[in-house]
Amino acid sequence: IIEYFPKKINSLKLVYCDLIEYEHKFTNRKSIENLLEKKENCDDIIIVKNGFISDSSYANLIFYDGKNYYTPKHSLLKGTMRKYLLENKMIYEAEIRPKDLEYYKFVKMINAMLDLEESKPIMNFANI
């Protein structure tokens, strides 16, 4: 057993890839690692596939508009925390395109080890 420490993410860069597939957790993350090489001086990436926001390199994304939380309908991996939050109506699915990001105040990252409350808001999006 290894203690989990969430990554410190303060900035995200949009990267575009229409061919990426990641529907199940894989040990082979080569396609994601290739996209991470494009992050430049940002801490992580937001993957855009077929014109829609999907996920970061290691977490599902949750966007806040000032009233509600939304997760991309076109996420690559339908994670367990994402599923839990959707089932409990704490978040809602939405089709989110890069041009829509201006309507959100911040984004949070969630995964099986990082819930909505623990996740820190990220307000710095590059290349929007």
Side-chain angles (χ1 to χ4, degrees):
I1 296 176
I2 302 172
E3 187 174 356
Y4 177 76
F5 295 101
K7 293 181 180 181
K8 293 183 185 195
I9 307 292
N10 294 308
S11 60
L12 296 163
K13 180 179 180 186
L14 296 177
V15 296
Y16 295 77
C17 182
D18 292 342
L19 302 176
I20 190 165
E21 296 291 334
Y22 199 77
E23 294 177 19
H24 306 284
K25 285 251 184 199
F26 292 109
T27 53
N28 181 357
R29 293 176 40 94
K30 187 66 177 162
S31 58
I32 292 176
E33 290 168 12
N34 288 341
L35 292 178
L36 271 171
E37 292 176 6
K38 299 176 182 181
K39 71 179 180 158
E40 297 174 348
N41 61 344
C42 291
D43 298 320
D44 202 354
I45 59 175
I46 292 177
I47 301 167
V48 180
K49 180 178 178 179
N50 298 323
F52 294 98
I53 301 293
S54 61
D55 298 312
S56 75
S57 70
Y58 86 105
N60 289 124
L61 301 171
I62 306 296
F63 293 90
Y64 184 68
D65 70 355
K67 184 178 177 188
N68 293 304
Y69 287 99
Y70 296 92
T71 189
K73 183 175 185 176
H74 302 282
S75 64
L76 296 173
L77 179 70
K78 312 291 189 210
T80 56
M81 182 61 68
R82 180 184 181 277
K83 181 180 176 184
Y84 170 82
L85 295 171
L86 283 167
E87 287 174 352
N88 288 282
K89 300 193 181 337
M90 298 169 73
I91 64 172
Y92 305 94
E93 278 189 324
E95 289 191 333
I96 304 172
R97 296 178 185 272
K99 66 179 179 145
D100 301 325
L101 294 178
E102 68 180 280
Y103 303 112
Y104 295 100
K105 297 184 179 296
F106 59 80
V107 62
K108 289 187 170 194
M109 302 171 97
I110 58 163
N111 60 32
M113 302 294 291
L114 184 61
D115 69 22
L116 188 60
E117 296 304 316
E118 292 173 327
S119 180
K120 305 292 182 219
I122 303 164
M123 293 177 238
N124 186 7
F125 308 104
N127 291 345
I128 296 179

